[in-house]
Amino acid sequence: MGTFERYLSVWVALAIGLGITTGTLIPGVYETIANLTYAHVNLVVAVFIWAMIYPMMVQVDFTAIRNVGREPQGLILTLVINWLIKPFTMAALGWLFFKVLFADLVDATTATEYIAGMILLGVAPCTAMVFVWSHLTRGNSAYTLVQVSVNDIIMVFAFAPIAAFLLGLSAITVPWETLLLSVGLYVVAPLVAGIITRRYLLAQGEERLEAWLQHSKPTTIMGLLATVSLLFGLQADRILDNPFAIVLIAIPLLIQSYGIFFIAYFVARRIKLPHNIAAPASLIGTSNFFELAVAVAISLFGLTSGAALATVVGVLVEVPVMLSLVAFANRTTRWFPAPKLP
């Protein structure tokens, strides 16, 4: 890991500070950026995320995807965590904190909305940022691609029923445009571009591919920092106007994030998964598809609702939490056997 990547948490902290500062000083710029959306997907954020993912897609050896079937435990672990555990632990923590522990601090209606926002985060496993976390833990890129793709397919069918059940609603409106556009922007488009680019570079020799990958490394990190700075700039007013509510929401979200990761990581160790599969599998279950969660919260409860605020807080806590878990995973590679898959 290079010096720049080694101090990534420092650069992220600076990006957060820059986002909040500029969001406060030049709110008009961020209002303009906030309006550049289609189907609740911010197009500027999409460009930055695409810049993160595209170089990593070029790294994927697509011929290695056929080997995923030799290590099915990692895929099974991801699916169990994402669909049988995470949504229900998120709902339970939301109820515990806002109906019991914080009941005297938040009115009943707002508490219910906070719980709803947390549930929507819990039912939406991450699509885009997972590739970054996998990259930072030296994960198996082909295996990560399969894990994300299978989760996306299941999400199309399972998101609405699970969310409706946990929210206690007879029907839930899923913004299909948001779901499909996000998967297209963050998975399909960079995947196709990565395949084309890799084939083009390999036609010129392995050395040409390796040189391109080395030169493209800063693009992923700069895309991450730009995304973080922009997200915090877009939410600067909420952060500064209602810091107490943000702290209250962040507490159960932090417990959920670390709890889910360590459950998955412990199981991965017990079943002796190699680290390059165990780390991404655990991180996929920890992070969230925040674009979808925010869009559904807004459509169901309104832009200024507690549910929308809870999903936004999920965005704010995710990057620092994931960076800390990446650091932990990188320090514990010795806990796992050597990789079996290329």
Side-chain angles (χ1 to χ4, degrees):
M1 183 177 290
T3 302
F4 189 67
E5 287 182 329
R6 188 174 296 115
Y7 293 99
L8 183 58
S9 57
V10 176
W11 314 135
V12 168
L14 292 174
I16 290 171
L18 177 64
I20 294 175
T21 301
T22 54
T24 304
L25 296 177
I26 49 174
V29 173
Y30 284 93
E31 289 175 5
T32 301
I33 294 174
N35 290 326
L36 297 175
T37 61
Y38 179 79
H40 298 292
V41 175
N42 187 278
L43 301 181
V44 180
V45 173
V47 169
F48 290 156
I49 292 179
W50 208 89
M52 283 190 287
I53 297 173
Y54 166 59
M56 288 180 283
M57 289 298 192
V58 180
Q59 294 180 38
V60 176
D61 180 3
F62 297 98
T63 61
I65 290 178
R66 64 175 178 265
N67 296 327
V68 169
R70 288 159 46 192
E71 286 278 7
Q73 300 97 323
L75 181 58
I76 294 170
L77 174 62
T78 301
L79 298 179
V80 169
I81 291 292
N82 275 328
W83 299 107
L84 299 181
I85 297 177
K86 181 181 177 181
F88 304 97
T89 55
M90 185 75 92
L93 282 172
W95 180 87
L96 174 63
F97 275 87
F98 289 107
K99 293 298 185 180
V100 181
L101 300 179
F102 295 161
D104 295 333
L105 302 176
V106 182
D107 67 83
T109 300
T110 302
T112 300
E113 291 185 351
Y114 288 167
I115 296 170
M118 291 177 60
I119 288 171
L120 292 173
L121 285 170
V123 188
C126 189
T127 289
M129 299 288 280
V130 166
F131 294 107
V132 179
W133 315 133
S134 178
H135 169 72
L136 293 175
T137 56
R138 303 296 186 267
N140 182 314
S141 55
Y143 203 103
T144 301
L145 175 61
V146 172
Q147 289 172 309
V148 171
S149 300
V150 173
N151 264 311
D152 286 344
I153 293 170
I154 292 175
M155 185 159 49
V156 170
F157 300 99
F159 177 87
I162 295 177
F165 171 74
L166 291 175
L167 290 172
L169 301 176
S170 58
I172 182 171
T173 302
V174 177
W176 294 108
E177 285 185 337
T178 301
L179 177 56
L180 298 177
L181 178 62
S182 295
V183 171
L185 283 174
Y186 304 145
V187 179
V188 177
L191 173 60
V192 172
I195 292 173
I196 295 172
T197 304
R198 186 178 180 88
R199 287 181 176 176
Y200 172 76
L201 294 171
L202 280 174
Q204 302 174 51
E206 288 279 354
E207 297 81 5
R208 179 74 178 92
L209 173 62
E210 289 302 320
W212 189 95
L213 291 175
Q214 286 298 320
H215 285 103
S216 69
K217 278 186 175 181
T219 304
T220 293
I221 303 302
M222 295 307 296
L224 172 63
L225 296 178
T227 303
V228 170
S229 186
L230 180 56
L231 289 174
F232 276 80
L234 291 170
Q235 302 298 333
D237 55 342
R238 290 192 177 190
I239 296 171
L240 298 177
D241 289 346
N242 204 0
F244 182 65
I246 289 170
V247 170
L248 292 182
I249 298 168
I251 292 172
L253 289 180
L254 289 170
I255 294 172
Q256 165 79 359
S257 297
Y258 285 110
I260 286 294
F261 174 84
F262 285 112
I263 289 171
Y265 211 58
F266 173 78
V267 173
R269 186 183 182 190
R270 289 297 299 269
I271 63 178
K272 295 181 169 51
L273 284 180
H275 186 265
N276 67 343
I277 293 176
S282 303
L283 293 168
I284 289 172
T286 307
S287 54
N288 304 302
F289 188 174
F290 59 82
E291 295 92 343
L292 179 61
V294 172
V296 176
I298 291 172
S299 65
L300 287 176
F301 300 97
L303 181 62
T304 60
S305 65
L309 179 61
T311 57
V312 168
V313 176
V315 178
L316 302 182
V317 303
E318 178 164 320
V319 173
V321 167
M322 298 303 292
L323 285 175
S324 69
L325 293 174
V326 164
F328 177 83
N330 285 336
R331 288 196 297 268
T332 54
T333 55
R334 66 186 183 280
W335 291 3
F336 299 84
K340 298 177 183 177
L341 299 181

